[in-house]
Amino acid sequence: MRRLLDSLYALGAGLAALSLFGIFLVMMAQVVMRELSRQLPAADDISAYLCVATTFFALAATFKRGELIRVGMGIERLSPAARRIAELLVLGLAAAVMAYVTRWTFSDMLFSWEIEEVAQGTVAIPLWVPKLAMPLGAGLLVVAILDEFVSVLRGSKPGYVMAAEERAAAGDFSAEV
């Protein structure tokens, strides 16, 4: 099960990297076409869609690496037992919020598909396609949060805390800035 979950998080990170590379390709195509006195249709729209995809697909992997913004100053001062309870409460709340986000974005994507909604720009892109990244990425984050919840419930230290501690021990404070 651990291998499957880690593969899912890596897949999300890979899709985020591909989306980011897609933004690069669109921008480079735009530069080349501008030199040829041409314009790449829907370049701004496609870049925006890929930006959203990059963000959502990267959420789970970023969370598991302990690189998402979180407030640890209050929790770090608690005793180990109180900290465990606080971690469980926060992870439970995060899972509930992200489950709502997943459900809402999925409903929005499904509605766009049902009514055959298209972008209003120069290219009629079916909007359910770029909207699909949001529920997929948010859903993957829910899985990652529940993964950590179960880990903490079993008495382990959260993976994102261990990852942050490993970076600090190596002298890497880049995620703390």
Side-chain angles (χ1 to χ4, degrees), residues 15-171:
L15 290 172
L18 285 174
S19 299
L20 190 59
F21 185 64
I23 294 170
F24 167 76
L25 291 177
V26 169
M27 292 298 135
M28 290 301 101
Q30 222 175 356
V31 167
V32 169
M33 291 185 79
R34 197 172 287 143
E35 288 299 317
L36 300 172
S37 299
R38 310 268 310 158
Q39 184 177 357
L40 180 63
D44 293 339
D45 292 343
I46 293 168
S47 293
Y49 302 148
L50 289 171
C51 187
V52 171
T54 300
T55 301
F56 274 84
F57 285 138
L59 287 174
T62 305
F63 172 74
K64 292 297 284 184
R65 289 188 193 119
E67 295 174 353
L68 282 183
I69 297 171
R70 64 184 202 92
V71 181
M73 293 185 328
I75 290 177
E76 291 167 358
R77 291 190 171 100
L78 299 173
S79 69
R83 182 176 179 157
R84 182 171 177 255
I85 292 169
E87 291 281 3
L88 288 170
L89 289 172
V90 170
L91 286 167
L93 179 62
V97 168
M98 288 312 300
Y100 174 77
V101 169
T102 301
R103 183 191 176 289
W104 189 87
T105 56
F106 179 77
S107 294
D108 184 52
M109 181 274 308
L110 194 58
F111 181 71
S112 292
W113 179 69
E114 288 171 350
I115 67 168
E116 299 177 9
E117 183 179 25
V118 294
Q120 297 298 310
T122 55
V123 177
I125 298 169
L127 286 179
W128 72 269
V129 175
K131 286 182 177 184
L132 182 60
M134 293 184 291
L136 288 177
L140 192 54
L141 180 58
V142 171
V143 171
I145 292 168
L146 292 175
D147 181 14
E148 290 296 334
F149 185 88
V150 169
S151 178
V152 173
L153 199 58
R154 290 181 175 169
S156 298
K157 187 182 284 192
Y160 50 84
V161 171
M162 290 190 297
E165 288 173 352
E166 288 172 12
R167 279 194 308 277

